[in-house]
Amino acid sequence: MTTSTEASREDASHSNPDLLGKDSVRVARADFPAEGVVRLTLVDPARGRLPDWTPGSHIDVVVPQPDGSNAIRQYSLCGDRWDAYSYQIAVLREPVSRGGSIYLHDELAEGDLIRIGTPRNHFSLASAQRYEFIAGGIGITPIMTMIDAAERMGVDWRLLYGGRTRASMAFLDELAPYGDRVMARPQDEFGHLDLSEYAEPVEGTKIYSCGPEPLLAAIESATSAWPTGTVRFERFAAVEQAPPVRSGPFTVELARSGKTITVTPSESVLQAVAEAGSPVLASCSMGVCGTCEVGVLAGVPDHRDSLLSDAERAENDRMFVCVSRAVTERLVLDL
């Protein structure tokens, strides 16, 4: 994911079919809900409706670069999903920025126009009898929308929220009315989050977490006894993967065009299909944003993304072609 902090590489594409259009939204407001965090309220310049979205969704944001090119970054939506006329994103100012957060903090101002993509969701909120939310830092952004959804559905929930300092933790004021259901634990006051109580699974409960990779790795370890599908993550960066299953080339058949191509060990499926004249929209090239998802009609992919759950991988009906490869000698893709 991807997500509320920079989670993608450069993408110079100007023909992204999912983008809402040139200068697609206007910055109606910019405020600062925490130290180092800017919240942008985005509206249609013509005051029209924006596409609907669901809790956990993110949008692509086109960020101009100093060399004149564009980069695409993903940020979680964190506002009111029932407001059809505005989006909100909250962006952490990264000390080592690749051009996304610095631009949105220092260059973008109220009244400016910026291009965005239609919302996508690879971190959707599944039904449960109860939710445990765990957020680290700017990872609170998608969790805010899930809390609102749980409240509206009348489902019990609790939030464990950590950050470097209390001043750096966004939305504490908005969360304050929920009382002791919100456990704010700044690291300078409490140390690392105590995850020991999550060791045993709780029937009917699902865990949703977003934050930096060390936190997510700790949660994975702490919840190892929980059933598959009951603990869900959204990541800022790709998880380190084992070496590919196949060390040699494999064949990819493009079902719609009838083309058959060979993917060599030195190139990605994304690169190979583009060279064959069937380019796939992509953004992060790390397997975290979900932009390059393609249907799999035959064969077994070597899933190397940081998005799909074990159960979703076992279905072998889709893959993210920027990073995933093949287990079988041949794949048939819906391209």
Side-chain angles (χ1 to χ4, degrees):
M1 169 129 187
T2 168
T3 60
S4 46
T5 189
E6 295 184 41
S8 59
R9 297 182 188 172
E10 295 81 0
D11 180 40
S13 172
H14 295 269
S15 59
N16 185 333
D18 285 338
L19 291 175
L20 297 182
K22 183 179 180 181
D23 299 335
S24 53
V25 292
R26 177 174 58 85
V27 179
R29 185 184 181 200
D31 66 311
F32 298 87
E35 288 181 357
V37 177
V38 63
R39 174 170 50 191
L40 302 174
T41 300
L42 310 173
V43 299
D44 182 89
R47 301 183 180 179
R49 287 179 63 100
L50 294 171
D52 293 338
W53 55 282
T54 54
S57 294
H58 67 269
I59 56 172
D60 291 337
V61 176
V62 180
V63 182
Q65 299 296 285
D67 63 1
S69 66
N70 288 327
I72 296 180
R73 303 289 184 253
Q74 289 78 39
Y75 299 99
S76 295
L77 291 168
C78 59
D80 180 3
R81 66 173 292 254
W82 300 104
D83 177 357
Y85 296 93
S86 72
Y87 291 158
Q88 284 187 356
I89 59 173
V91 181
L92 174 68
R93 184 186 180 93
E94 297 281 3
V96 182
S97 172
R98 298 191 315 280
S101 71
I102 295 298
Y103 176 83
L104 296 177
H105 274 257
D106 296 352
E107 303 296 331
L108 201 63
E110 293 181 5
D112 287 350
L113 298 173
I114 192 167
R115 296 174 68 203
I116 65 171
T118 52
R120 295 196 309 275
N121 197 342
H122 292 281
F123 190 47
S124 58
L125 186 66
S127 61
Q129 297 173 20
R130 187 174 181 276
Y131 297 108
E132 290 280 357
F133 299 120
I134 308 174
I138 199 64
I140 189 62
T141 49
I143 301 300
M144 291 294 291
T145 66
M146 294 182 173
I147 289 173
D148 179 69
E151 278 289 287
R152 291 175 183 271
M153 293 186 294
V155 178
D156 188 27
W157 61 270
R158 187 176 61 160
L159 168 66
L160 178 62
Y161 179 17
R164 291 179 292 103
T165 65
R166 194 172 295 273
S168 72
M169 296 168 66
F171 307 119
L172 286 179
D173 288 344
E174 289 90 333
L175 292 167
Y178 295 123
D180 59 7
R181 282 192 289 174
V182 175
M183 296 173 289
R185 298 291 185 266
Q187 187 174 346
D188 64 342
E189 299 177 26
F190 295 90
H192 293 295
L193 293 180
D194 181 4
L195 304 173
S196 58
E197 64 179 290
Y198 301 101
E200 297 298 326
V202 179
E203 186 175 354
T205 298
K206 287 184 169 65
I207 295 176
Y208 283 80
S209 181
C210 182
E213 187 55 35
L215 171 62
L216 301 190
I219 296 170
E220 278 191 302
S221 176
T223 61
S224 60
W226 286 63
T228 299
T230 58
V231 183
R232 293 289 309 276
F233 301 96
E234 182 164 65
R235 288 184 153 87
F236 298 160
V239 177
E240 185 175 350
Q241 302 284 345
V245 173
R246 300 183 63 86
S247 58
F250 56 92
T251 299
V252 172
E253 180 182 331
L254 309 181
R256 296 188 209 172
S257 66
K259 297 177 181 178
T260 298
I261 60 176
T262 298
V263 181
T264 67
S266 63
E267 64 182 344
S268 66
V269 177
L270 178 69
Q271 293 168 328
V273 298
E275 291 169 2
S278 299
V280 175
L281 181 66
S283 178
C284 74
S285 296
M286 297 187 293
V288 296
C289 76
T291 306
C292 67
E293 180 177 339
V294 171
V296 177
L297 304 179
V300 179
D302 177 10
H303 295 290
R304 305 181 61 75
D305 62 272
S306 300
L307 286 163
L308 297 177
S309 66
D310 290 343
E312 290 168 333
R313 291 184 176 202
E315 293 175 359
N316 290 320
D317 60 353
R318 53 183 159 156
M319 65 184 290
F320 298 98
V321 293
C322 68
V323 292
S324 295
R325 303 184 68 78
V327 173
T328 52
E329 293 185 3
R330 172 176 167 271
L331 291 176
V332 180
L333 302 183
D334 188 16
L335 290 173

